[in-house]
Structure formats: C-alpha cells, structure tokens
Amino acid sequence: MSKHIKRIDTVFVPVTDISRSKKWYMNLFNFRIVYESPDGSYVGFRFNEPGPLQTGLTLYQTDQLPESRHMAFNFYTTDVDASYAYFTEQQVRTSEIHGAGGMRFFDAWDPDGNAIGVVTFPE
C-alpha cells in the first residue's frame, strides 16, 4: 500500500480566530484559498504558483490550542535573508537566523503562538 502514497497532502494548524489567522497567513505567503468550510471553521491554502501540486496548509478553528514543544513544519525559502527581512517588516515575532549542517533558518510565530520554521539549504 505505501508505494501508492505520493506526498504529504495537507498540514493542519489550530487557530483560535480563523479570520485573523487567514489574513495573517495570506499576507505572509503567496497562498490561494482552495477550500473554506461552510461553517467557517476551516480554510485551506495552496501556494499560488504553477507546477506540481505541493503540500497544502489548512487552518482549523479551535477554542484551545494543543500543547506543542516543537514546530510542526518548515517553509522552504530560496533566500532566507529576504524572507527574514520581510517577516520582520511585517512585525512578525521571529528568532534570529541560525545555521547548522548546511542549513540556514529562523523560527517565527503566528498570532496564536504556533511556531513555524523558515529554512534554506542547497537542493
């Protein structure tokens, strides 16, 4: 069965205010909305770029965020310095840029405190 699995399709991120978070993610990333639930409790994004289908991001409304000690995923960037500059211009809380093992990356936090990573490395 596993030979039929082709990719991670969607990453789910809990948020307490879906409207606020939808605006925040749309402002920072080149996303297009591909799904919104009729009751407004889910919104799904894909990158608004041509090419093969890539992993999507879905925000879901919750009253209480689950405890997490680690970020659930990273965004890959071709220019970590430009991405960092953009995030800081948008007044997003970030760590400093770090490097290890050929990677350069920084952490950022969405309005609910969900940690997201932004990373670059030689492909």
Side-chain angles (χ1 to χ4, degrees), residues 11-81:
V11 175
F12 291 84
V13 177
V15 298
T16 59
D17 183 333
I18 199 115
S19 178
R20 173 189 68 188
S21 294
K22 177 175 134 180
K23 290 176 190 170
W24 189 87
Y25 279 90
M26 290 286 293
N27 183 51
L28 284 176
F29 302 100
N30 185 26
F31 282 152
R32 62 184 163 88
I33 296 172
V34 295
Y35 175 77
E36 286 192 78
S37 64
D39 67 358
S41 62
Y42 287 86
V43 61
F45 306 107
R46 296 274 184 195
F47 281 100
N48 194 23
E49 296 180 5
L53 192 60
Q54 297 191 15
T55 304
L57 178 74
T58 295
L59 306 178
Y60 68 93
Q61 180 76 38
T62 186
D63 292 330
Q64 186 173 346
L65 297 174
E67 185 178 333
S68 176
R69 294 182 183 200
H70 195 276
M71 67 195 64
F73 60 94
N74 290 328
F75 285 100
Y76 177 80
T77 180
T78 56
D79 188 337
V80 75
D81 297 298

Side-chain angles (χ1 to χ4, degrees), residues 78-90:
T78 56
D79 188 337
V80 75
D81 297 298
S83 296
Y84 183 80
Y86 182 72
F87 274 56
T88 56
E89 287 168 10
Q90 298 301 310

